Amino acid sequence: MKIRLASAALVLFFAGTVAFFSVSAPRFATASTVENLMSGFSFMAILAMGQAFPILVRGIDLSIGAIVGLVGMVVFDLSLLFGMPGYGIIPLALLAGTLAGALNGVLIVHLRLQPFIATLATLAAYRGLTYTISGRQLVPGLSTTPIRDPWITGIESYFDVGGWLGLSRLVTMPWVPLSFFIMLAVFAALQILLLAARFGRDIYATGGNHEAARLAGIQVKSVTIAAYAVSGFCAAIAALIMVARFTTATEALGTGVELTAIAAAVIGGVSLAGGIGSMFGPALGAFLLGAILIGLTLQGVPQFVQQIITGLILLAAVGYDRLLVLRRRRRLAMAAAS
Amino acid sequence: MDDRTNDRRSFLKAMAVGSAAVAGAAAGMLGVPGAETGFAGVARARAEGTRYRMAFIQWQPHTVPAAWSKGIEEVLTPQQIVDYELLDGQNKVEVQASLMDTLISQGASAIFLQPIDSVALAPSIAKAKRAGIPVITLNIDATEAHAAHVEMNHYYGAMDIAKAMGDAMGGKGKVAILNAPPGIIIRDQRTNGFVEGMKQHHPGIQIVADQVADWDRKKAQDVLNTILAANPDLGGAYGVNDSMALGAVDVAKEKGLLGRFVVFGNDGETAALESIEAGELTGTQYTDVYQQGRLAAAAATVLATGGVTAGAFAQQSRLLMPYVIATKANAGSIQPSQRW
């Protein structure tokens, strides 16, 4: 119920933002803006959904930007240095991201490190590793060689959905990028995992009350490692989308995306106290931040204003989350007292 | 670039060469016979009330793009028909790509771009081209051909820095390079040009260290101190940008090496020129980046007001900015209005 309330508020806020820019920003309410939003921010929605998992188990994953960079460079090297075909690269890239994420989980669970510290350390380590394996440094010509593998570049393709549905005769429809469909698939898979699978129940239980979950026989260690692995897996998908979009990977690819992903997840109603949240909120949160960036750019408002507004929305979201936590505690205390 | 600029050549002469290069470039830029090139800031007759929209997407806030933007505005603002804005790429390719998308759907008349990566922004440039929008890149070229590219002369400038530096050191000794992080073309051009220049002009000089100092003055101090510990007989340092060179000057001051230790920078920002005039920094490659912005804006104006679309270019024009190796002997000829 609480989740639904938070989601409803977010949907209203998103609708309000879109309505505001449609009226005030020139050319905002156009098919091309919708297309830009989908192609420019689907990867961010995927990152935010992945980030939701560590937050659900009362952790945080600061290393996703570095994982994006690392996976991007793995794709770059396999394609341009080793000439591996794309259908072989994609599973290896997903595996690399998942392993990097799982390693975060192992550090947190087995070395008993704070998630913040552990993933801050791996942020530096993975980024360093990205520079170390960079094919751009080994072979000078590669930094100006685009990746041409159809399996990779095919990820950046667009579909005339409006044309198929026959809507294009009535109104100009945006072409939908494949990355948006990938985002929908990730959303569906993870949401089903959370709601219908045992793993989802374990995640909520572990995040809600770690000790109680352990006593109830839930493998909290494995569940925590799995949550970070999901985050790494999502970072790998995002990396593939980005490499396809840019036809290359840079050593700095993905720098700083973790902050936007965390912001989107929290704005999307994923509680930092753990155990509360769904996939819908983070995905919509990412598109909300994207819509604000595009809208303000069209209005000609300087970008630092966008950062200020993002900060304010984040504050509001965290404040609301805090309020819910306090209310829940009070109710529990009342129940205990009676 | 056969006519090497030597450090005796007066600054004005270099600027005159630059203007001639621009006129030539602008003429070559319009691959359309009979197209009017016009002068900077003079638009052709246009429909009443036509407004043009242009924007510059910078890499991240820094003195160089800020000075470009100022130069661009100097040309665009007086015309009163162009809405210009500076957009920040926040040092992220995905932000630059998203801003490109936004400008394309907005129907910009021209886009100035300082791409973070030559390949990563190529798809965005191709998209702008399909929409007919001319793109002019600054300093970093892209693998997708576009309207024009205006850049500081990184490679040959670095060669001349090596020559001047070797001359100052008497053709022998050891030097260290204070470098930028890898992965940026500018870094490679400014390093390779320097190494090549030393090979050609001063084979007796050894490059004993090449360390990353992150474009940063403070970091350069620490790095150079480490290098000096290993090579106490080091005779000079080359900073790939002025900030790092000024860091080397700080170390030389601290160790009482001023005058014996040769330091060269690259860019020519105000702080470096002042340091040269104070007899601390030995020299730097100076480029008038205001002028670089003005040239890009002049070209964009011609294209936009002349109704030239991106499809009209048979090939991309490329303009290398004139430069001067500024040392104590000639730094004074760089006017206050040319300092950035």
Side-chain angles (χ1 to χ4, degrees):
Chain A
M1 195 62 225
K2 287 279 182 304
I3 298 170
R4 267 185 231 136
L5 255 178
S7 294
L10 184 66
V11 170
L12 280 176
F13 192 81
F14 184 79
T17 305
V18 169
F20 170 73
F21 283 126
S22 299
V23 173
S24 68
R27 300 188 59 87
F28 183 81
T30 57
S32 66
T33 297
V34 178
E35 196 176 299
N36 294 344
L37 188 61
M38 287 192 291
S39 67
F41 294 90
S42 289
F43 81 91
M44 192 52 84
I46 293 170
L47 285 169
M49 289 190 281
Q51 182 66 245
F53 277 78
I55 300 178
L56 279 172
V57 294
R58 214 182 291 190
I60 197 109
D61 187 351
L62 297 178
S63 72
I64 55 168
I67 295 178
V68 165
L70 183 61
V71 172
M73 202 46 81
V74 165
V75 172
F76 182 94
D77 285 357
L78 290 177
S79 185
L80 294 180
L81 275 181
F82 300 102
M84 189 187 256
Y87 55 81
I89 295 173
I90 292 170
L92 284 176
L94 295 176
L95 181 69
T98 310
L99 285 177
L103 180 61
N104 283 333
V106 168
L107 292 175
I108 289 161
V109 168
H110 292 291
L111 296 186
R112 304 259 169 99
L113 292 172
Q114 284 284 347
F116 188 91
I117 301 299
T119 57
L120 192 62
T122 53
L123 177 158
Y126 293 154
R127 186 62 69 187
L129 190 57
T130 307
Y131 275 97
T132 311
I133 66 164
S134 172
R136 291 169 154 250
Q137 305 308 316
L138 299 170
V139 185
L142 286 190
S143 58
T144 51
T145 309
I147 294 172
R148 292 259 179 253
D149 190 300
W151 284 82
I152 306 290
T153 54
I155 297 171
E156 176 71 5
S157 45
Y158 292 76
F159 300 98
D160 183 11
V161 175
W164 297 337
L165 299 174
L167 290 171
S168 292
R169 269 167 293 165
L170 311 171
V171 59
T172 315
M173 291 286 289
W175 285 48
V176 182
L178 180 58
S179 59
F180 186 76
F181 289 117
I182 295 173
M183 192 279 301
L184 289 179
V186 170
F187 167 76
L190 294 180
Q191 188 62 23
I192 289 168
L193 195 68
L194 277 180
L195 291 182
R198 195 180 142 188
F199 173 66
R201 236 186 22 242
D202 291 352
I203 287 260
Y204 283 124
T206 305
N209 189 331
H210 189 273
E211 200 50 25
R214 195 180 60 82
L215 293 172
I218 292 173
Q219 298 290 332
V220 286
K221 287 186 176 176
S222 318
V223 169
T224 305
I225 292 170
Y228 284 89
V230 169
S231 174
F233 175 77
C234 286
I237 296 177
L240 282 164
I241 290 172
M242 286 169 100
V243 170
R245 184 160 153 84
F246 304 131
T247 64
T248 188
T250 63
E251 290 89 352
L253 190 74
T255 305
V257 294
E258 61 276 359
L259 299 177
T260 314
I262 293 167
V266 173
I267 288 168
V270 182
S271 171
L272 288 167
I276 291 179
S278 72
M279 287 295 105
F280 177 74
L284 192 61
F287 287 115
L288 172 69
L289 296 179
I292 292 171
L293 177 62
I294 291 175
L296 290 177
T297 307
L298 289 172
Q299 275 187 329
V301 174
Q303 278 156 300
F304 60 83
V305 175
Q306 183 242 348
Q307 284 154 348
I308 294 171
I309 290 177
T310 303
L312 290 176
I313 298 171
L314 191 58
L315 273 176
V318 172
Y320 182 68
D321 173 49
R322 197 71 214 137
L323 194 75
L324 289 181
V325 170
L326 288 175
R327 216 186 277 167
R328 216 173 29 241
R329 274 206 202 135
R330 211 174 307 138
R331 240 200 331 261
L332 283 173
M334 298 266 278
S338 62
Chain B
M1 274 305 283
D2 294 334
D3 58 331
R4 284 298 156 68
T5 329
N6 62 42
D7 46 6
R8 301 245 183 290
R9 177 179 284 173
S10 83
F11 186 77
L12 282 172
K13 205 163 166 186
M15 284 295 127
V17 172
S19 312
V22 171
M29 208 177 273
L30 299 170
V32 198
E36 294 180 36
T37 48
F39 297 99
V42 180
R44 291 187 357 179
R46 63 183 193 281
E48 199 56 48
T50 310
R51 289 204 70 80
Y52 302 94
R53 199 180 170 86
M54 296 185 194
F56 167 36
I57 304 175
Q58 68 177 12
W59 181 327
Q60 64 181 9
H62 183 258
T63 43
V64 175
W68 284 332
S69 190
K70 189 164 175 283
I72 291 170
E73 279 187 81
E74 280 174 15
V75 171
L76 297 185
T77 310
Q79 303 179 54
Q80 300 181 356
I81 50 166
V82 185
D83 297 317
Y84 166 77
E85 62 179 330
L86 169 64
L87 297 170
D88 182 22
Q90 298 172 21
N91 199 7
K92 294 174 187 166
V93 282
E94 66 269 24
V95 172
Q96 284 201 324
S98 174
L99 290 172
M100 284 287 286
D101 279 349
T102 306
L103 289 172
I104 292 164
S105 68
Q106 230 177 348
S109 314
I111 299 173
F112 306 99
L113 174 68
Q114 179 193 16
I116 291 171
D117 184 81
S118 302
V119 181
L121 271 295
S124 300
I125 291 173
K127 193 173 169 183
K129 231 164 52 176
R130 287 198 296 274
I133 303 168
V135 175
I136 298 175
T137 47
L138 288 154
N139 256 22
I140 300 168
D141 205 347
T143 52
E144 175 77 33
H146 46 286
H149 172 64
V150 189
E151 83 168 34
M152 289 181 185
N153 202 332
H154 304 292
Y155 187 83
Y156 290 107
M159 271 182 122
D160 282 344
I161 288 173
K163 184 171 179 290
M165 190 166 179
D167 292 343
M169 292 170 66
K172 58 186 191 297
K174 294 178 176 179
V175 297
I177 301 177
L178 299 169
N179 221 326
I184 302 162
I185 290 181
I186 289 181
R187 163 204 153 107
D188 299 340
Q189 291 170 324
R190 289 185 178 186
T191 310
N192 300 345
F194 182 80
V195 172
E196 195 53 40
M198 278 298 179
K199 253 194 224 141
Q200 262 186 39
H201 301 293
H202 299 286
I205 289 186
Q206 273 181 292
I207 299 172
V208 292
D210 178 351
Q211 300 274 338
V212 173
D214 295 345
W215 305 107
D216 183 72
R217 185 168 183 160
K218 185 87 198 61
K219 186 84 197 269
Q221 296 171 3
D222 302 339
V223 170
L224 186 60
N225 273 321
T226 316
I227 296 173
L228 276 170
N231 305 281
D233 56 344
L234 194 71
Y238 163 50
V240 166
N241 77 340
D242 284 337
S243 310
M244 294 191 281
L246 290 170
V249 168
D250 297 336
V251 173
K253 258 193 202 164
E254 203 181 295
K255 294 205 179 322
L257 295 170
L258 270 190
R260 279 175 298 146
F261 193 73
V262 179
V263 184
F264 268 80
N266 199 331
D267 272 347
E269 62 188 49
T270 306
L273 297 179
E274 283 168 356
S275 175
I276 290 169
E277 285 165 339
E280 293 170 348
L281 182 65
T282 322
T284 187
Q285 172 185 350
Y286 166 85
T287 306
D288 185 345
V289 286
Y290 293 136
Q291 188 68 353
Q292 197 178 348
R294 286 185 210 116
L295 299 178
T301 304
V302 170
L303 301 177
T305 55
V308 183
T309 63
F313 300 98
Q315 63 184 124
Q316 175 188 317
S317 59
R318 186 158 175 266
L319 173 64
L320 283 173
M321 288 299 292
Y323 61 89
V324 119
I325 299 297
T327 56
K328 197 158 183 173
N330 64 357
S333 68
I334 299 172
Q335 301 306 313
S337 65
Q338 295 170 318
R339 299 190 178 210
W340 46 275

